[in-house]
Amino acid sequence: DGGITQSPKYLFRKEGQNVTLSCEQNLNHDAMYWYRQDPGQGLRLIYYSQIVNDFQKGDIAEGYSVSREKKESFPLTVTSAQKNPTAFYLCASTPQRVGKNIQYFGAGTRLSVL
Amino acid sequence: KNEVEQSPQNLTAQEGEFITINCSYSVGISALHWLQQHPGGGIVSLFMLSSGKKKHGRLIATINIQEKHSSLHITASHPRDSAVYICRGGADGLTFGKGTHLIIQP
């Protein structure tokens, strides 16, 4: 079955630690996105990538980094510079650049700070 | 300022009631999307609208381009409709409303 797989489902970060969230898709989509969701807030865009080896900052990129070495994979690293990382992280993809395109979402990763 | 505003933020209703959730946007869009987020966090797309009205089962979505407003209606609501409903729009198509948390009580 085609879809987007995020792992792990739950992740705990210690003070000063970098952690990486995985996002893999087998939909052959060009564009992939990372969002952060906090209680009472809408999804906020962290980074997006429209093509392999290229990515753009979203509204809240500070403290995060990404890579897009393969079309299927778009991992997100939450660095120690992100002082408030506790949130629900969602990965999404679209066949091409979003606009009219429907986004397909993974099941999410819930990150907490120990 | 968020370009996409939803109302109400929270809505509790009894089973069988007709539900309306509203979404207003401030900039022109090519399409507006309605999404449903389940209690576990997963998000599915319900509708993509450029004009007029779309219907899928008990769900109906309408959009008025001139007024920059869209509504999502649920007829004969059921407890399984309890979820967060989110609209997406914006000039770049990447702006989300804060969501409407809907609870349908039996």
Side-chain angles (χ1 to χ4, degrees), chain A residues 71-110:
Chain A
K71 188 175 185 177
E72 307 80 39
S73 178
F74 191 40
L76 173 74
T77 297
V78 184
T79 74
S80 57
Q82 173 48 249
K83 297 305 179 191
N84 184 22
T86 296
F88 188 55
Y89 292 86
L90 284 155
C91 178
S93 71
T94 52
Q96 298 136 8
R97 171 80 164 97
V98 79
K100 271 198 166 185
N101 287 319
I102 290 174
Q103 285 186 313
Y104 295 80
F105 286 85
T109 293
R110 205 165 290 277

Side-chain angles (χ1 to χ4, degrees), chain A residues 35 37 42 98 100-101 103, chain B residues 33 37 48 88 94 96-97:
Chain A
Y35 293 96
Q37 187 177 37
V98 79
K100 271 198 166 185
N101 287 319
Q103 285 186 313
Chain B
H33 298 253
Q37 184 170 29
M48 181 176 73
R88 163 166 81 89
L94 294 174
F96 291 78

Side-chain angles (χ1 to χ4, degrees), chain B residues 9-96:
Chain B
Q9 274 190 290
N10 298 285
L11 180 57
T12 299
Q14 295 298 121
E15 184 173 356
E17 285 189 40
F18 181 81
I19 303 299
T20 296
I21 299 169
N22 297 299
C23 179
S24 297
Y25 52 94
S26 56
V27 298
I29 56 172
S30 57
L32 185 124
H33 298 253
W34 281 101
L35 308 116
Q36 180 191 54
Q37 184 170 29
H38 299 293
I43 294 179
V44 295
S45 180
L46 297 174
F47 294 104
M48 181 176 73
L49 286 165
S50 298
S51 63
K53 175 178 167 178
K54 285 191 176 179
K55 184 175 189 290
H56 186 253
R58 295 179 295 104
L59 299 176
I60 304 165
T62 63
I63 190 167
N64 185 317
I65 299 294
Q66 286 73 29
E67 294 186 5
K68 294 188 171 65
H69 181 269
S70 176
S71 292
L72 176 68
H73 305 285
I74 305 174
T75 63
S77 59
H78 189 276
R80 64 174 174 267
D81 297 325
S82 299
V84 177
Y85 293 84
I86 302 168
C87 63
R88 163 166 81 89
D92 56 4
L94 294 174
T95 304
F96 291 78

Side-chain angles (χ1 to χ4, degrees), chain A residues 33 37 59:
Chain A
Y33 312 81
Q37 187 177 37
D59 301 319

